Protein backbone atom coordinates (compact mmCIF):
# COMPACT_ATOMS: atom_id res chain seq x y z
CA UNK A 1 0.00 0.00 0.00
CA UNK A 2 1.29 3.43 -0.93
CA UNK A 3 1.77 5.90 1.94
CA UNK A 4 -0.77 8.72 2.10
CA UNK A 5 2.04 10.97 3.41
CA UNK A 6 5.70 10.64 2.47
CA UNK A 7 8.28 12.93 4.06
CA UNK A 8 11.93 12.79 3.01
CA UNK A 9 14.75 14.86 4.54
CA UNK A 10 12.38 17.60 5.68
CA UNK A 11 14.19 20.60 7.17
CA UNK A 12 12.88 24.01 8.11
CA UNK A 13 14.67 27.20 9.06
CA UNK A 14 13.42 30.43 10.58
CA UNK A 15 16.24 32.74 9.61
CA UNK A 16 19.41 31.05 10.86
CA UNK A 17 17.54 28.84 13.36
CA UNK A 18 16.81 25.30 12.22
CA UNK A 19 13.57 23.95 13.71
CA UNK A 20 13.20 20.70 11.72
CA UNK A 21 16.18 18.44 11.10
CA UNK A 22 15.96 16.01 8.18
CA UNK A 23 12.70 14.31 9.15
CA UNK A 24 11.80 11.11 7.29
CA UNK A 25 8.35 9.57 7.72
CA UNK A 26 5.89 7.42 5.80
CA UNK A 27 2.27 7.37 7.00
CA UNK A 28 -0.18 4.75 5.77
CA UNK A 29 -3.89 5.38 5.06
CA UNK A 30 -6.35 4.62 7.85
CA UNK A 31 -3.99 5.28 10.74
CA UNK A 32 -4.56 7.55 13.73
CA UNK A 33 -1.18 9.17 14.34
CA UNK A 34 -0.45 10.78 17.69
CA UNK A 35 2.11 13.48 16.86
CA UNK A 36 3.49 14.79 20.13
CA UNK A 37 6.38 16.78 21.53
CA UNK A 38 7.21 19.65 23.88
CA UNK A 39 6.54 23.27 23.02
CA UNK A 40 8.91 24.45 20.30
CA UNK A 41 9.73 20.91 19.15
CA UNK A 42 8.43 21.48 15.61
CA UNK A 43 4.97 19.85 15.74
CA UNK A 44 2.96 22.83 14.52
CA UNK A 45 5.61 23.65 11.93
CA UNK A 46 5.36 20.13 10.51
CA UNK A 47 1.56 20.29 10.37
CA UNK A 48 1.61 23.71 8.71
CA UNK A 49 3.89 22.31 6.00
CA UNK A 50 1.71 19.23 5.49
CA UNK A 51 -1.42 21.37 5.39
CA UNK A 52 0.03 23.50 2.60
CA UNK A 53 0.34 26.61 4.77
CA UNK A 54 4.14 26.90 4.57
CA UNK A 55 6.04 26.13 1.38
CA UNK A 56 9.37 27.51 2.57
CA UNK A 57 11.15 24.29 3.50
CA UNK A 58 13.86 21.92 2.30
CA UNK A 59 13.27 18.30 1.43
CA UNK A 60 10.41 16.43 -0.22
CA UNK A 61 6.83 16.15 1.01
CA UNK A 62 4.16 14.21 -0.88
CA UNK A 63 0.51 13.74 0.07
CA UNK A 64 -1.77 11.49 -2.01
CA UNK A 65 1.33 11.01 -4.20
CA UNK A 66 1.36 14.74 -4.99
CA UNK A 67 4.12 17.24 -4.24
CA UNK A 68 2.77 19.71 -1.68
CA UNK A 69 4.54 22.66 -3.26
CA UNK A 70 3.18 21.96 -6.72
CA UNK A 71 -0.32 20.69 -5.88
CA UNK A 72 -1.25 22.49 -2.66
CA UNK A 73 -4.78 23.42 -3.74
CA UNK A 74 -5.67 19.91 -4.93
CA UNK A 75 -4.37 18.44 -1.67
CA UNK A 76 -6.32 20.96 0.43
CA UNK A 77 -9.55 19.91 -1.26
CA UNK A 78 -9.05 16.39 0.07
CA UNK A 79 -7.87 17.21 3.59
CA UNK A 80 -9.38 18.76 6.71
CA UNK A 81 -7.61 21.00 9.21
CA UNK A 82 -8.87 21.65 12.74
CA UNK A 83 -6.55 24.01 14.63
CA UNK A 84 -6.64 24.69 18.36
CA UNK A 85 -7.39 28.37 17.86
CA UNK A 86 -9.07 29.66 14.73
CA UNK A 87 -10.76 32.88 13.82
CA UNK A 88 -14.40 32.04 13.23
CA UNK A 89 -16.56 34.69 11.63
CA UNK A 90 -18.35 35.30 14.89
CA UNK A 91 -20.89 37.73 13.47
CA UNK A 92 -22.23 34.78 11.45
CA UNK A 93 -24.46 31.98 12.64
CA UNK A 94 -23.31 28.35 12.37
CA UNK A 95 -25.67 27.95 9.39
CA UNK A 96 -24.10 30.92 7.59
CA UNK A 97 -20.53 29.97 8.47
CA UNK A 98 -20.88 26.33 7.43
CA UNK A 99 -22.56 27.32 4.17
CA UNK A 100 -19.53 29.51 3.48
CA UNK A 101 -17.09 26.70 4.27
CA UNK A 102 -19.05 24.13 2.28
CA UNK A 103 -19.26 26.36 -0.78
CA UNK A 104 -15.48 26.82 -0.68
CA UNK A 105 -15.30 23.04 -1.08
CA UNK A 106 -17.78 23.11 -3.99
CA UNK A 107 -20.59 21.42 -2.06
CA UNK A 108 -24.16 22.36 -2.95
CA UNK A 109 -26.24 24.10 -0.32
CA UNK A 110 -28.68 21.24 0.22
CA UNK A 111 -25.85 18.81 1.01
CA UNK A 112 -24.11 21.34 3.25
CA UNK A 113 -27.21 21.95 5.33
CA UNK A 114 -28.02 18.24 5.52
CA UNK A 115 -24.54 17.32 6.77
CA UNK A 116 -24.15 20.35 9.02
CA UNK A 117 -27.56 19.78 10.57
CA UNK A 118 -26.77 16.15 11.38
CA UNK A 119 -23.30 16.93 12.75
CA UNK A 120 -24.51 19.83 14.90
CA UNK A 121 -27.34 17.67 16.23
CA UNK A 122 -24.77 15.14 17.44
CA UNK A 123 -22.99 17.99 19.23
CA UNK A 124 -26.32 19.19 20.68
CA UNK A 125 -26.16 22.50 18.81
CA UNK A 126 -29.29 22.16 16.69
CA UNK A 127 -31.07 24.84 18.70
CA UNK A 128 -28.17 27.25 18.08
CA UNK A 129 -28.06 26.91 14.31
CA UNK A 130 -29.24 30.47 13.70
CA UNK A 131 -27.63 32.23 16.65
CA UNK A 132 -24.64 34.50 16.14
CA UNK A 133 -21.45 32.79 17.26
CA UNK A 134 -20.21 35.82 19.21
CA UNK A 135 -22.63 34.64 21.92
CA UNK A 136 -21.11 31.13 22.02
CA UNK A 137 -18.86 29.65 24.68
CA UNK A 138 -15.38 28.42 23.72
CA UNK A 139 -16.61 24.84 23.70
CA UNK A 140 -19.53 25.67 21.40
CA UNK A 141 -17.20 27.43 18.99
CA UNK A 142 -14.84 24.45 19.06
CA UNK A 143 -17.71 22.16 18.08
CA UNK A 144 -18.54 24.37 15.09
CA UNK A 145 -14.86 24.36 14.16
CA UNK A 146 -14.79 20.56 14.28
CA UNK A 147 -17.82 20.39 11.99
CA UNK A 148 -16.28 22.87 9.55
CA UNK A 149 -13.12 20.77 9.25
CA UNK A 150 -15.03 17.56 8.53
CA UNK A 151 -17.95 18.90 6.51
CA UNK A 152 -16.44 18.06 3.09
CA UNK A 153 -15.67 14.45 4.10
CA UNK A 154 -11.85 14.71 3.86
CA UNK A 155 -9.58 11.69 3.42
CA UNK A 156 -6.83 13.15 5.60
CA UNK A 157 -7.51 15.14 8.76
CA UNK A 158 -5.13 17.24 10.85
CA UNK A 159 -6.26 17.93 14.41
CA UNK A 160 -4.27 20.29 16.63
CA UNK A 161 -5.60 20.15 20.22
CA UNK A 162 -9.18 19.55 18.97
CA UNK A 163 -10.54 18.96 22.49
CA UNK A 164 -9.70 22.46 23.70
CA UNK A 165 -12.63 23.94 25.63
CA UNK A 166 -14.86 20.86 25.37
CA UNK A 167 -16.67 19.36 28.35
CA UNK A 168 -16.16 15.75 29.43
CA UNK A 169 -19.05 14.32 27.37
CA UNK A 170 -17.95 16.15 24.23
CA UNK A 171 -14.39 14.88 24.72
CA UNK A 172 -15.65 11.29 24.83
CA UNK A 173 -17.76 11.94 21.73
CA UNK A 174 -14.84 13.37 19.72
CA UNK A 175 -12.68 10.37 20.65
CA UNK A 176 -15.40 8.08 19.29
CA UNK A 177 -15.70 10.20 16.14
CA UNK A 178 -11.96 9.84 15.54
CA UNK A 179 -12.24 6.06 15.90
CA UNK A 180 -15.18 6.03 13.49
CA UNK A 181 -13.24 8.11 10.95
CA UNK A 182 -10.36 5.62 11.10
CA UNK A 183 -12.78 2.72 10.59
CA UNK A 184 -13.89 4.44 7.38
CA UNK A 185 -10.27 4.40 6.18
CA UNK A 186 -9.51 8.04 6.88
CA UNK A 187 -6.13 9.13 8.23
CA UNK A 188 -5.97 11.36 11.31
CA UNK A 189 -2.88 13.27 12.44
CA UNK A 190 -3.59 14.19 16.05
CA UNK A 191 -1.44 16.74 17.87
CA UNK A 192 -1.98 17.18 21.59
CA UNK A 193 -0.32 17.60 24.97
CA UNK A 194 -2.93 15.33 26.54
CA UNK A 195 -0.90 12.13 26.81
CA UNK A 196 -3.82 10.06 28.10
CA UNK A 197 -5.93 10.83 25.03
CA UNK A 198 -3.05 10.27 22.60
CA UNK A 199 -2.25 6.95 24.25
CA UNK A 200 -5.84 5.72 23.94
CA UNK A 201 -6.74 6.77 20.39
CA UNK A 202 -3.47 6.39 18.45
CA UNK A 203 -2.46 3.44 16.30
CA UNK A 204 1.01 4.93 16.09
CA UNK A 205 2.79 7.58 18.15
CA UNK A 206 5.49 9.85 16.76
CA UNK A 207 7.43 11.86 19.33
CA UNK A 208 9.43 14.84 18.13
CA UNK A 209 11.99 16.76 20.19
CA UNK A 210 14.38 19.49 19.07
CA UNK A 211 13.12 19.13 15.51
CA UNK A 212 13.92 15.42 15.27
CA UNK A 213 11.86 12.23 15.58
CA UNK A 214 13.01 10.49 18.78
CA UNK A 215 10.35 7.75 18.98
CA UNK A 216 8.03 6.16 16.45
CA UNK A 217 5.77 3.16 16.91
CA UNK A 218 2.68 1.70 18.53
CA UNK A 219 2.37 2.56 22.21
CA UNK A 220 2.83 -1.05 23.31
CA UNK A 221 6.13 -1.20 21.39
CA UNK A 222 7.39 2.07 22.83
CA UNK A 223 6.31 1.12 26.35
CA UNK A 224 8.51 -1.98 26.33
CA UNK A 225 11.57 0.16 25.76
CA UNK A 226 11.01 3.27 27.82
CA UNK A 227 8.44 2.93 30.60
CA UNK A 228 4.91 2.11 31.64
CA UNK A 229 3.11 5.28 30.50
CA UNK A 230 3.23 7.73 27.64
CA UNK A 231 3.90 10.56 30.09
CA UNK A 232 6.98 8.72 31.37
CA UNK A 233 8.12 8.01 27.82
CA UNK A 234 7.59 11.66 26.90
CA UNK A 235 9.61 12.99 29.84
CA UNK A 236 12.46 10.53 29.34
CA UNK A 237 12.89 11.14 25.62
CA UNK A 238 12.54 14.91 25.77
CA UNK A 239 15.16 15.25 28.49
CA UNK A 240 12.87 16.27 31.34
CA UNK A 241 12.73 14.57 34.73
CA UNK A 242 12.83 15.30 38.47
CA UNK A 243 9.46 17.00 38.34
CA UNK A 244 9.03 16.56 42.11
CA UNK A 245 12.16 18.59 42.75
CA UNK A 246 11.15 21.21 40.22
CA UNK A 247 7.71 21.56 41.83
CA UNK A 248 9.28 21.96 45.28
CA UNK A 249 11.61 24.61 43.91
CA UNK A 250 8.61 26.46 42.53
CA UNK A 251 6.62 26.44 45.76
CA UNK A 252 9.69 27.29 47.82
CA UNK A 253 9.51 30.74 46.28
CA UNK A 254 6.66 31.45 48.72
CA UNK A 255 9.05 31.08 51.65
CA UNK A 256 11.44 33.72 50.40
CA UNK A 257 11.57 36.82 52.55
CA UNK A 258 11.60 40.31 51.25
CA UNK A 259 15.24 41.41 51.06
CA UNK A 260 16.40 44.00 53.59
CA UNK A 261 17.45 47.35 52.21
CA UNK A 262 19.95 49.40 54.12
Amino acid sequence: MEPIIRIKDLSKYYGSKQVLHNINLDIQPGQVIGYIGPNGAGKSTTVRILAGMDADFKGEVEIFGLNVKEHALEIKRRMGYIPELAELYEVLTPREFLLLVGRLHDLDDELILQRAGQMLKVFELSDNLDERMDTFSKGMRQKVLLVSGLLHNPELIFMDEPLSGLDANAVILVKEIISSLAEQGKTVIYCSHNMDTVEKISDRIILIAHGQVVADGAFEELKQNEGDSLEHLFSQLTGHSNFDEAAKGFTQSFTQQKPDHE
Side-chain angles (χ1 to χ4, degrees):
M1 183 181 297
E2 286 295 313
I4 193 170
I5 298 176
R6 175 169 286 161
I7 301 173
K8 183 177 180 182
D9 298 327
L10 173 62
S11 295
K12 170 68 181 179
Y13 292 81
Y14 288 114
S16 60
K17 181 180 180 181
Q18 187 171 5
V19 293
L20 296 177
H21 299 260
N22 299 314
I23 290 178
N24 291 277
L25 288 171
D26 283 353
I27 295 174
Q28 300 297 327
Q31 289 186 322
V32 178
I33 306 294
Y35 193 53
I36 61 175
N39 291 332
K43 301 188 306 299
S44 295
T45 298
T46 310
V47 171
R48 286 178 59 83
I49 289 170
L50 294 175
M53 301 169 65
D54 187 346
D56 183 20
F57 62 85
K58 295 183 179 180
E60 299 177 13
V61 179
E62 291 184 354
I63 299 179
F64 309 123
L66 302 172
N67 185 289
V68 295
K69 289 185 177 180
E70 299 173 2
H71 302 278
L73 186 58
E74 183 176 349
I75 291 170
K76 287 178 182 179
R77 291 182 184 278
R78 299 168 63 184
M79 57 157 275
Y81 178 51
I82 302 166
E84 177 181 7
L85 298 172
E87 292 294 333
L88 297 174
Y89 294 99
E90 295 181 352
V91 297
L92 300 180
T93 66
R95 183 196 301 272
E96 294 166 339
F97 176 68
L98 294 172
L99 276 169
L100 172 62
V101 172
R103 288 166 181 170
L104 290 173
H105 286 285
D106 297 323
L107 303 180
D108 66 65
D109 288 2
E110 183 178 355
L111 180 59
I112 295 169
L113 294 175
Q114 178 184 344
R115 285 184 183 173
Q118 183 172 347
M119 290 176 171
L120 291 172
K121 182 178 180 180
V122 170
F123 278 126
E124 299 182 343
L125 286 180
S126 295
D127 293 340
N128 309 100
L129 187 60
D130 293 305
E131 297 178 6
R132 280 176 39 152
M133 291 187 291
D134 58 3
T135 66
F136 284 13
S137 67
K138 187 178 189 299
M140 293 169 71
R141 295 176 190 178
Q142 189 68 13
K143 292 175 181 179
V144 176
L145 187 64
L146 282 158
V147 172
S148 71
L150 299 172
L151 187 64
H152 58 294
N153 193 24
E155 302 168 52
L156 171 64
I157 303 147
F158 297 100
M159 294 185 170
D160 190 355
E161 298 288 359
L163 306 181
S164 177
L166 299 181
D167 60 39
N169 286 331
V171 167
I172 295 171
L173 174 58
V174 172
K175 291 178 185 178
E176 293 299 325
I177 289 172
I178 292 172
S179 297
S180 182
L181 291 169
E183 289 174 0
Q184 294 179 13
K186 301 182 187 302
T187 307
V188 180
I189 312 297
Y190 186 95
C191 300
S192 177
H193 289 109
N194 188 323
M195 297 296 103
D196 182 61
T197 299
V198 172
E199 181 180 322
K200 289 178 179 178
I201 70 170
S202 302
D203 302 309
R204 174 182 173 192
I205 296 170
I206 299 171
L207 173 56
I208 183 172
H210 308 295
Q212 297 177 306
V213 174
V214 296
D216 181 359
F219 173 63
E220 291 301 321
E221 299 170 352
L222 300 179
K223 184 171 66 171
Q224 292 176 4
N225 297 325
E226 297 294 340
D228 58 359
S229 72
L230 187 56
E231 285 185 347
H232 182 266
L233 170 70
F234 186 96
S235 62
Q236 291 296 313
L237 293 178
T238 57
H240 295 276
S241 57
N242 299 321
F243 290 110
D244 289 344
E245 292 182 15
K248 290 177 182 177
F250 182 90
T251 55
Q252 281 173 0
S253 65
F254 302 134
T255 66
Q256 300 297 318
Q257 300 299 317
K258 183 178 179 180
D260 294 330
H261 295 284
E262 296 183 1

